[in-house]
Amino acid sequence: MKNIKIVATGKYVPDKIVTNDDLSKVVDTTDEWIFSRTGIKERRQATIENTLDLAYLAANDCIKNVNYSVDDIDLIVVATITQEDKTPSVANLVSGKLGIKREIMTFDINAACTGFVYALEVASSLLSSGNYKSALVIGSEKLTNVLDYEDRNTCVLFGDGAGAVIIEKTIEPNQANFINRSRPDMNEVLTVGKFIHMDGKKVYQFAVEVLSKSIKEILETNQLTIDDVDVIISHQANLRIIKSVANSLEIPLEKFILNIEKYGNTSAASIPILLSEYNNNQKSRVLMVGFGGGFTYGAAIMNLERK
């Protein structure tokens, strides 16, 4: 248990909207085929922005939303699988673009679509060490760079975007708890090389299993029931996955907030984008849960208390 809370949220999504009908002109598919199987109607495509730009713009939105001082940020963690350069890290360059003058700790992590939840735990642990006071945690992805538009099973699923949060220590107890794990994908069920490759059926089975398990376990670990959390913010990969999880755990679908129809799967950006669109200005307890390539999966319970 870590005494950490979320004090700011923000996002950035590119202006260009790619609809299902747009995709039907370049690949053998239809709006009905995509929407009935995924719940996706459209997604965003970055035309001039790269992964760094997306991350910076989301971070800037997060900071401006609560008039946060960049001078108070002494840790930046970026979750991404689509960074264009091996080094320097996206986080390092975000620090520069934000105009942070001090030399602070910055690094990227790769845990695919669970990356943001992983990054939250890592940043929370570093804050709990006492060496840092404020962390900027970002999920940023330009997935259209790794899409094969001859593969209708994957190219219709993904979009570009970024989301960001600022977390701080708090004197209030029982603020944050995490479950983050991985299962080696030795059979290459979900990989990203030049393009995304995925065995959709196997990924679906894995996702329903681990999302259900993660929600149940993190509630039990915290001695909570689903009524003790205000909202579930799940990785937005497929609406059918979320419906299956809700049904298996007997949780009303209304407990989950959704935006997959607008953005598709944005990998590590999915959860923070959704979190930024959670329009509750009161103190809230949020349950975040995700899964991704690797295989990775994880969950977090944190208090959201925007400044």
Side-chain angles (χ1 to χ4, degrees):
M1 192 75 69
K2 297 174 176 61
N3 292 337
I4 306 292
K5 64 182 178 181
I6 299 168
V7 298
T9 62
K11 71 170 185 182
Y12 176 79
V13 292
D15 291 334
K16 183 178 179 180
I17 297 172
V18 179
T19 67
N20 291 344
D21 286 333
D22 291 332
L23 286 175
S24 71
K25 297 172 185 175
V26 297
V27 67
D28 181 19
T29 191
T30 64
D31 173 63
E32 190 279 332
W33 189 92
I34 298 170
F35 184 69
S36 65
R37 287 164 175 78
T38 67
I40 301 169
K41 294 290 285 185
E42 59 189 40
R43 69 287 294 147
R44 300 300 178 97
Q45 181 177 1
T47 54
I48 58 173
E49 307 96 335
N50 59 21
T51 302
L52 168 61
D53 295 327
L54 299 174
Y56 162 70
L57 290 165
N60 198 46
D61 183 59
C62 180
I63 289 163
K64 287 186 174 181
N65 280 341
V66 295
N67 296 315
Y68 203 85
S69 173
V70 295
D71 294 330
D72 290 334
I73 297 170
D74 52 6
L75 171 65
I76 301 177
V77 185
V78 174
T80 185
I81 59 170
T82 57
Q83 65 273 31
E84 285 80 7
D85 299 312
K86 291 182 173 62
T87 194
S89 69
V90 174
N92 176 276
L93 297 176
V94 166
S95 174
K97 288 175 75 70
L98 288 174
I100 297 175
K101 302 301 183 185
R102 293 174 300 123
E103 297 178 352
I104 67 171
M105 187 175 189
T106 62
F107 60 94
D108 297 349
I109 69 168
N110 178 341
C113 302
T114 324
F116 180 75
V117 184
Y118 269 53
L120 273 179
E121 179 168 14
V122 172
S124 295
S125 297
L126 287 168
L127 261 62
S128 297
S129 74
N131 294 328
Y132 307 90
K133 62 181 181 180
S134 174
L136 175 63
V137 183
I138 306 168
S140 181
E141 303 285 18
K142 188 173 179 180
L143 291 160
T144 54
N145 274 356
V146 290
L147 293 183
D148 178 0
Y149 284 96
E150 294 183 0
D151 179 4
R152 72 168 186 168
N153 293 311
T154 57
C155 73
V156 302
L157 300 176
F158 299 94
D160 302 332
V165 303
I166 295 170
I167 60 174
E168 292 180 345
K169 290 182 288 187
T170 174
I171 59 173
E172 299 178 31
N174 303 327
Q175 289 292 302
N177 199 8
F178 302 90
I179 294 170
N180 281 305
R181 301 199 178 103
S182 67
R183 181 182 302 173
D185 177 15
M186 305 306 292
N187 296 314
E188 299 185 343
V189 173
L190 175 54
T191 62
V192 182
K194 181 179 180 181
F195 298 123
I196 295 173
H197 164 77
M198 181 173 68
D199 183 326
K201 183 177 180 180
K202 290 181 179 178
V203 170
Y204 179 93
Q205 293 169 343
F206 168 77
V208 172
E209 174 202 344
V210 298
L211 291 181
S212 300
K213 180 171 69 173
S214 297
I215 292 171
K216 185 176 180 181
E217 182 176 342
I218 201 163
L219 288 173
E220 290 177 350
T221 299
N222 286 273
Q223 298 182 329
L224 300 173
T225 71
I226 197 62
D227 294 330
D228 294 316
V229 299
D230 295 293
V231 67
I232 299 174
I233 297 178
S234 174
H235 170 50
Q236 303 289 286
N238 188 308
L239 182 58
R240 292 166 67 184
I241 291 173
I242 296 172
K243 286 182 174 179
S244 293
V245 171
N247 182 62
S248 68
L249 296 178
E250 298 183 339
I251 299 173
L253 188 61
E254 293 73 25
K255 197 77 173 183
F256 295 78
I257 57 172
L258 306 167
N259 64 9
I260 189 170
E261 183 173 330
K262 296 188 295 180
Y263 304 127
N265 183 343
T266 55
S267 187
S270 166
I271 289 174
I273 289 174
L274 189 58
L275 187 62
S276 74
E277 294 187 342
Y278 175 46
N279 294 319
N280 188 336
N281 292 321
Q282 305 300 315
K283 180 177 177 179
S284 303
R285 180 177 280 172
V286 298
L287 193 163
M288 294 165 277
V289 63
F291 71 94
F295 287 115
T296 62
Y297 63 98
I301 290 179
M302 297 186 73
N303 278 359
L304 169 61
E305 192 173 345
R306 295 184 180 96
K307 288 197 168 188

